[in-house]
């Protein structure tokens, strides 16, 4: 019954994943998560607004890692190259949490409400990334489109990374190359079929 | 008291928009929407699962318009050009409903839950679009990335279209060109900074 509770947040996350996996997301309450982590419900709510946020709050800061790396990328880099640097930085941050993130992804995949929440979080990342691109001198309109497309690509890379066994930088680079191969010719004047 | 009710669905949608605008989304019930449209609650639930779906159900089919146009685009077109054709087809379908869609966008903007639902719908469009690209011979992995990036771009174009007074094809073409300008160089071997 130690009163000092190291890493309450991490313990609550671990307990939530276990209970969501065994009893289902819908059947699990915040009180059960707290009890499973040997903490009080009050402690739970000091860390998380509700049981859903246990899955999302620990992701916070990832957008700043990504945007910070984009800002700090060498000035000579193109926007796409800077985005590549940002995705690698995000990947380095994600790597140590891979096992937890694979389990988290499996839980989110079972609930449309959780998937929508995940998409909402990622949409916010797009705006943060667009800000970083603007700071690099990218025009606002271009930065907005680049931000949403880059985060959509990040989402695909993230899904491939949790579903397979390849390192995040590899899947991210491949996805960015696919993006370039598909849309690289759009800027040209006149389509072949015209 | 005519028993024949033409376009109950359209009347329910119009009534919902009015009530969401005047009384707020949270403060409006399905029963109030039905009454405002001079219809029964039973009729409401024959058309929509809940009040939220009044904002989303009428969008259904847009993904098929987009994907159908991509499938039917001339075989010689690049994937990006076919996507451009798809976005124009979606725009033609959206144009007559512009006034309703502007009002709808304003309501959705006030509620994170509605924004997340919108993102979930659009994520499903990505999969439909990726299927259409695969049918054109685009490799599955590339089609997935192209699908999510194209729908992210569509979302930006849609927001610019409802916020301004430019025709949808113009904003869509501009957004696709921004995408190409940003990511077109990614496929190259070796970055300038290497």
């Amino acid at each position: 019954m130690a009163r000092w509770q190291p890493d309450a947040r991490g313990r609550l996350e671990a307990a939530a994943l276990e209970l969501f996996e065994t009893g289902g997301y819908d059947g699990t309450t915040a009180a059960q998560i707290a009890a499973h982590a040997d903490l009080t419900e009050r402690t739970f709510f000091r860390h998380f607004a509700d049981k859903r946020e246990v899955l999302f709050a620990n992701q916070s800061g990832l957008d700043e890692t990504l945007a910070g790396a984009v800002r700090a990328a060498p000035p000579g880099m193109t926007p796409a190259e800077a985005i590549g640097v940002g995705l690698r930085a995000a990947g380095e941050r994600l790597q140590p949490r891979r096992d937890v993130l694979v389990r988290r992804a499996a839980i989110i995949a079972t609930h449309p409400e959780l998937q929508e929440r995940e998409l909402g979080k990622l949409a916010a990342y797009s705006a943060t990334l667009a800000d970083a691109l603007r700071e690099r001198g990218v025009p606002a309109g271009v930065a907005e489109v680049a931000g949403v497309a880059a985060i959509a690509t990040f989402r695909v890379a993230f899904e491939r990374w949790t579903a397979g066994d390849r390192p995040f930088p590899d899947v991210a680079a491949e996805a960015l190359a696919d993006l370039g191969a598909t849309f690289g010719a759009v800027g040209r004047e006149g389509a072949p079929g015209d």
Side-chain angles (χ1 to χ4, degrees), chain A residues 4 10 17-18 35-36 41 56-57 60 74 76 100 108-109 119 127 158 175 177 182:
Chain A
W4 180 68
L17 286 176
E18 271 183 41
H36 197 63
E41 208 174 334
F56 295 99
S60 73
V100 163
I108 288 176
L119 290 167
F158 184 85
T182 305

Side-chain angles (χ1 to χ4, degrees), chain A residues 32-178:
Chain A
Q32 287 168 340
I33 295 168
H36 197 63
D38 202 18
L39 293 167
T40 64
E41 208 174 334
R42 193 175 155 150
T43 300
F44 178 96
F45 288 111
R46 208 156 50 223
H47 288 279
F48 303 107
D50 51 42
K51 68 174 179 180
R52 192 179 70 164
E53 287 314 296
V54 184
L55 293 169
F56 295 99
N58 285 331
Q59 292 300 97
S60 73
L62 186 64
D63 55 341
E64 278 307 331
T65 298
L66 203 169
V70 167
R71 264 186 224 104
M77 281 193 172
T78 66
E81 287 161 355
I83 287 168
V85 169
L87 293 188
R88 277 194 293 281
E92 275 164 35
R93 195 187 142 121
L94 293 170
Q95 195 65 49
R97 278 173 50 78
R98 186 175 186 280
D99 291 346
V100 163
L101 291 169
V102 168
R103 294 167 64 199
R104 175 183 176 275
I107 293 159
I108 288 176
T110 61
H111 278 71
E113 178 213 332
L114 298 177
Q115 291 165 35
E116 289 175 8
R117 176 77 180 135
E118 177 87 324
L119 290 167
K121 282 260 175 180
L122 288 169
Y125 288 14
S126 302
T128 312
L129 180 53
D131 283 345
L133 290 170
R134 272 197 295 275
E135 285 177 39
R136 292 183 67 85
V138 177
V142 179
E144 186 185 17
V145 172
V148 296
I151 293 299
T153 304
F154 169 77
R155 181 160 63 84
V156 171
F158 184 85
E159 284 169 8
R160 290 179 183 173
W161 175 64
T162 53
D165 55 5
R166 297 161 60 205
F168 188 87
D170 289 5
V171 292
E174 179 193 76
L176 277 179
D178 288 348

